[in-house]
Amino acid sequence: MESSVDGVLVEQTELGYGVLAIRSFQVDDVVGEVQGEWIDDPDYSSDYCIDMGGDLSLEPRAPYRFLNHSCEPNCEFISWAKADGEKESVWLCATRQVQAGEPLTIDYCWPAETAIRCLCGSPRCRGWIVDPDELDQLPLAT
Ligand SMILES: [Zn+2]
C-alpha cells in the first residue's frame, strides 16, 4: 500500500507501516490536516484514535493513521475549532526540523493500563509507550 499526500509517504517499516517525510519541514510547519472519522463515544478506543477531549475521538485515515510512536517525536497533533458549529480540525505539525526521508513520529502518550513495550530506539526512550505522567503507574513487566 502506498499513500502520498502533502509531503509524506506511507511505507512498510520494521515496525509495520510508517509515515516518511518526502520533503523537509521546519519547526512549527504544518505537515497536513488529519482527516478521519469523528466518534462521539466516551468508551471508544482503538490503536490509532486521537483523544479529542470530552467524549470525542478522531479515528484518522491514511496517511496519518500510520504515524509511529517515538519517545522523542518530531511531530505533534494540534487542533483548533473552525467557525461556529463546525467540528474542530486537527493538523500534524513538526516540533523540530525534519529532513526528507526521516520517519515522522508522535508521542502516543497512552494510559498506563494500555502501555506496551516501546521499540522506538531513541536515546531517551521511556521503555514503554505510555504517557510520561503515568510512568509510575505501569504494571510490573511480565
Ligand atoms: Zn521509546
Side-chain angles (χ1 to χ4, degrees):
M1 186 201 65
E2 274 201 356
S3 165
S4 175
V5 59
D6 307 318
V8 305
L9 180 73
V10 173
E11 228 186 41
Q12 182 82 52
T13 73
E14 286 170 32
L15 302 176
Y17 287 117
V19 180
L20 287 187
I22 53 175
R23 68 173 182 84
S24 60
F25 294 97
Q26 306 300 316
V27 177
D28 292 335
D29 271 0
V30 170
V31 178
E33 183 173 5
V34 182
Q35 309 272 356
E37 188 188 352
W38 288 82
I39 293 144
D40 188 356
D41 178 351
D43 296 324
Y44 184 81
S45 85
S46 80
D47 284 352
Y48 298 107
C49 75
I50 306 167
D51 182 2
M52 295 305 299
D55 296 343
L56 276 179
S57 303
L58 176 60
E59 185 69 49
R61 281 199 287 270
Y64 302 116
R65 183 175 187 79
F66 298 110
L67 286 165
N68 282 319
H69 163 90
S70 170
C71 296
E72 287 186 280
N74 53 19
C75 288
E76 65 181 357
F77 291 129
I78 61 165
S79 64
W80 62 82
K82 291 179 175 171
D84 284 350
E86 283 189 64
K87 285 244 164 69
E88 276 177 288
S89 53
V90 181
W91 303 79
L92 186 71
C93 291
T95 53
R96 57 180 167 83
Q97 187 162 7
V98 178
Q99 307 296 334
E102 265 191 74
L104 296 178
T105 52
I106 54 168
D107 192 330
Y108 286 1
C109 282
W110 281 348
E113 72 252 31
T114 57
I116 60 170
R117 287 281 185 189
C118 183
L119 301 171
C120 77
S122 106
R124 293 169 57 196
C125 182
R126 301 190 287 269
W128 294 83
I129 298 180
V130 65
D131 186 327
D133 294 339
E134 298 200 9
L135 257 181
D136 57 354
Q137 297 170 38
L138 283 172
L140 287 175
T142 51

